[in-house]
Amino acid sequence: MPGPMPDTFFDIDAITGLTDEQAQDRLAREGYNELPSTRRRGLGSIALSVIKEPMFLLLVACGAVYMGVGDFQEALMLLGFVAVIMGITIVQERRTERALEALRDLSSPRALVVRSGRQQRIPGREVARGDMIILTEGDRVPADAIVRQCMGLTADESLLTGESVPVHKTARAAGDEFDRPGGEGLAGVFCGSLITGGQGAAQVVATGMATQMGQIGKALQTIEQQRSPLQRQTARLVRTLAAVGLTLCAAVVLVYALMRGGGALEWKNAVLAGLTLAMATLPEEFPVVLTIFLAMGAWRISRRGVLTRRTAAVETLGATTVLCVDKTGTLTQNRMSISKLWTGDDIFNLATPHDRLPERFHRLLEFGVLASKKDPFDPMDRALKALGREYLASTEHLHESWTLVHEYPLSGELLALSHVWVSPDGKRAMIAAKGAPEAVADLCHMNDPQRRRLVEKVAAMADEGLRVLGVARGLPAGPDDLPGRQHDFDFEFLGLVGLADPVRPAVKAAIEQCHSAGIRVIMITGDYPGTAANIARQIGMDPGGILTGSDLDAMSDADLQQRIADTNVVARVVPQQKLRIVNALKAGGEVVAMTGDGVNDAPALKAAHIGLAMGGRGTDVAREAASLVLLDDDFSSIVQAVRLGRRIFDNIKKAVAYIFAIHVPIAGLSLVPVFFTGLDDLILQPVHILFLELIIDPSCTMIFEAEPAEADVMSRRPRNPAEPLYSLPVLALSLLQGLVVLAITLGVFIIARRNGHSEDNARGLTFASLVVANLALILTNRSWTQTVWAMFKVRNRAVWFVLGGAATCLALVLFVPPLQQLFHFAPLHANDLLICLAAGALSILWFEVLKILRRRKG
């Protein structure tokens, strides 16, 4: 077996990995890197879930009753409607499944692989056996692999071993012999384990069910998420309505049959009346609306660059009162460029192009480059490397052939890092350090006058909005005789580097939207107060009294809660302090959204009401702790997500109001025959309820889900998270809508009967009026602020599909004789149709007037 390689070796340029074609071929032959529980639901599974639904069982019961009394025509028609409704339900379920599949693909753990010599960020499920994966702190290992190169690599394998202490990894040059999880100094890394430190490159040897995690069946043990307040409210409401409906059904069967003599025909009609009432009152749409709206809402938000990891977070977005956001990469573009260099008494301004860099700045830039990664991801490292290539390429100060042999990483105690480089012949070594100026000053053991001068220069550069780094040169040391910590080197201070990070163009407008929506934005940054204040002014924020990390350390929790209430900028913060900020805001009654990208950000992301992880530069640990992931790391995407969250909540409320409203007249008309003994037959029968369901189901899932946001959605104050969706005002208003429709349609029926119309004629007139009123309820509930006429100008294609389909089907059942017979209708005349249209319009006229009066008053 090849011996282990030194764990200080890491040269990403030497890695080529599989070719794209090889990877695709292995995926085709061996399958994706996933476990069986990620299988998608098929049509058969969805159809089976539909068959178990109470509405389906009620329809079957109605069909059985008709079959029992020999009415095969009615029974077959019901079964035909069953097929149609099942088809609609399956289409809706598949639509939701496709949205959830897209979200699952986005949210699967990511992997950085090298294919054909290029680094690619891909979903973890697309990792193939033989791939070379790059591992850094905060990554989840996507598959079982052998470490080929590493530098200070440690992994937490507690998921597999139960041992929470991270273990160190060593590299193995060749061979696929695999170790068991656990134990120090081994070369194997395992699917699902967490990289806690260092970096490395590993070759995948097992994927999917062939991994250790797959074999022992622990991979997808998930913690069952608590149901959201909205889900709990819905469950309570459904239970209550179902209980009331079943009680009424039993009462209707008994009362109807006994009041009419108790004969066989009366009992048949009684059972049909009870089943009709059950269908009319069954609140089947509520769970469907909640599931589809949240799933489709999460999908819509993902198209705006925000991945929803927990759909319950969608409903919380509209209640957010405070957004705590990182500056770098979220408010700014995270594309650093070097603006100024300072060494000794000299400043070199790079804001304008120059042909050459003065010699006295060469050493500062040389060691700044050496203190950066050889193949960098960090924007500051990239900026230093780019400037080095531009100005040092033809000098002896650029060391492309030197080898990085050791790295002293940043730590919470010392915000500086050092790199040890060795010459190609192995005889010379150089040590380069960079980091926060005060940390580099500490490494260089500056005296008080030197520190004061440095602080003044740093403050001046920070006030210009620059991010400032200190650079130092360590005295030469042998590569085989390295001290255990950076402080054991003797460092010489070389100067400062000032980097500019331009603000994202859309941020200023997004900040204004937040302010108009009643959302306070707090900028949190590790930069100096001067830099933070400069950026705050650029994006339209009032920096006010800036709070610093050292201020936080000196404050009690009570003092912090009081101070953070009117603070917009927090500077020189380390990730661990974010948790205190979140807790202080929550204690003050705020609904907090917090951004983060690192491992140390995870506690704050989890503690916030909404944790927002960075998708581009964030670690897997941060993504797992967060509710939402910003795929593009852009602040304006957060604002779009808030807007969409408010829209989704509004649309759920509209759908709920409509469902309540339309079920009131349906249930009322189903009850009428019980108390009016002069009627020989039912006004509404199961077939009529089915017809209405064909309109109701698409309306509440297609029309209202697709409604655009109200014009004032981002000019309202955030809603109170304790405010229930099914609040008394909403229920009362929708109940009133339904009672008005019931009164008008019942009035149409009674007047028609008193004027000598037959029961079939009165039933057809009443049913047509109810369908028109139903369509009118859809139109009026599209907006509770804009009139129906104004909403016709708002694009929603689903409206026209539903209206057109309903009108066509109504015309068929009213005017095609065989369908008339099946629905127990008599032919209607032109005057009758005018009555239906007038009744439908009259049923919502009062609500339209109320909207106009509200707007005038507001």
Side-chain angles (χ1 to χ4, degrees), residues 571-858:
R572 301 308 280 169
V573 171
V574 294
Q576 294 90 328
Q577 293 174 319
K578 286 185 175 182
L579 180 59
R580 285 196 68 200
I581 294 172
V582 169
N583 289 335
L585 289 166
K586 287 170 66 177
E590 305 284 3
V591 179
V592 186
M594 167 69 78
T595 67
D597 56 10
V599 175
N600 291 337
D601 289 329
L605 292 173
K606 198 153 192 174
H609 294 100
I610 300 177
L612 292 150
M614 300 297 107
R617 66 181 191 277
T619 61
D620 285 342
V621 174
R623 285 162 57 96
E624 289 170 11
S627 309
L628 303 173
V629 179
L630 293 183
L631 300 177
D632 55 6
D633 297 359
D634 190 345
F635 174 78
S636 60
S637 296
I638 304 175
V639 181
Q640 288 298 320
V642 171
R643 182 184 185 87
L644 281 166
R646 291 187 176 192
R647 165 191 161 179
I648 291 163
F649 191 85
D650 281 356
N651 288 348
I652 292 176
K653 188 180 287 188
K654 293 172 188 176
V656 166
Y658 162 72
I659 293 168
F660 264 113
I662 191 55
H663 276 268
V664 170
I666 295 174
L669 291 174
S670 301
L671 283 169
V672 164
V674 177
F675 303 105
F676 287 82
T677 55
L679 298 177
D680 296 327
D681 211 344
L682 304 173
I683 296 177
L684 293 182
Q685 295 182 3
V687 65
H688 303 128
I689 306 295
L690 280 173
F691 185 97
L692 291 167
E693 285 293 333
L694 290 176
I695 303 173
I696 295 170
D697 283 353
S699 299
C700 47
T701 55
M702 289 171 59
I703 292 179
F704 292 112
E705 193 282 323
E707 276 301 313
E710 299 271 4
D712 67 340
V713 72
M714 289 301 282
S715 58
R716 310 177 201 152
R717 301 290 302 172
R719 69 175 177 85
N720 185 342
E723 171 196 342
L725 172 65
Y726 314 109
S727 61
L728 283 177
V730 172
L731 295 181
L733 193 57
S734 55
L735 181 64
L736 184 56
Q737 286 181 346
L739 288 173
V740 171
V741 173
L742 175 60
I744 290 174
T745 52
L746 197 55
V748 168
F749 181 82
I750 292 171
I751 292 170
R753 292 291 286 143
R754 286 184 177 176
N755 287 339
H757 289 265
S758 67
E759 277 198 16
D760 283 357
N761 187 269
R763 180 183 293 109
L765 190 58
T766 304
F767 183 76
S769 299
L770 180 58
V771 171
V772 173
N774 181 16
L775 298 178
L777 280 175
I778 293 170
L779 295 175
T780 197
N781 280 294
R782 286 183 65 199
S783 173
W784 283 17
T785 57
Q786 299 291 320
T787 64
V788 168
W789 297 112
M791 289 304 293
F792 274 129
K793 301 175 185 177
V794 178
R795 179 181 172 85
N796 187 338
R797 289 187 300 175
V799 171
W800 302 108
F801 282 122
V802 172
L803 293 185
T808 302
C809 291
L810 181 61
L812 290 173
V813 300
L814 290 177
F815 299 113
V816 176
L819 293 177
Q820 282 180 0
Q821 236 179 349
L822 288 173
F823 276 77
H824 303 284
F825 293 157
L828 298 183
H829 304 94
N831 289 342
D832 296 330
L833 295 179
L834 290 175
I835 291 171
C836 297
L837 292 173
L842 187 62
S843 67
I844 64 165
L845 182 61
W846 67 274
F847 192 50
E848 293 299 300
V849 172
L850 180 62
K851 291 180 188 177
I852 294 170
L853 293 176
R854 278 179 171 176
R855 291 186 65 187
R856 287 180 179 175
K857 188 176 179 181

Side-chain angles (χ1 to χ4, degrees), residues 94-153:
R94 279 301 299 154
R95 187 174 177 224
T96 304
E97 276 293 307
R98 283 195 297 270
L100 293 175
E101 284 171 16
L103 293 176
R104 277 193 290 263
D105 289 341
L106 283 170
S107 61
S108 69
R110 306 163 304 155
L112 183 63
V113 300
V114 179
R115 287 183 180 168
S116 302
R118 301 188 315 275
Q119 295 178 47
Q120 301 178 36
R121 182 75 68 176
I122 62 172
R125 68 186 297 267
E126 295 179 10
V127 170
R129 185 177 56 81
D131 261 327
M132 291 295 295
I133 53 176
I134 307 302
L135 302 171
T136 58
E137 180 181 350
D139 287 346
R140 284 277 177 201
V141 180
D144 289 0
I146 302 283
V147 177
R148 300 304 188 198
Q149 300 180 19
C150 66
M151 180 179 290
L153 190 68

Side-chain angles (χ1 to χ4, degrees), residues 36 187 194 204 219 289 350 356 358 561 564 687 730 797 823 829:
L194 173 66
V204 174
V289 163
L350 289 147
R356 54 181 293 274
Q561 180 183 336
I564 201 68
V687 65
V730 172
R797 289 187 300 175
F823 276 77
H829 304 94

Side-chain angles (χ1 to χ4, degrees), residues 532-545:
N534 185 284
I535 296 295
R537 285 188 286 270
Q538 288 185 50
I539 61 177
M541 286 177 61
D542 177 15

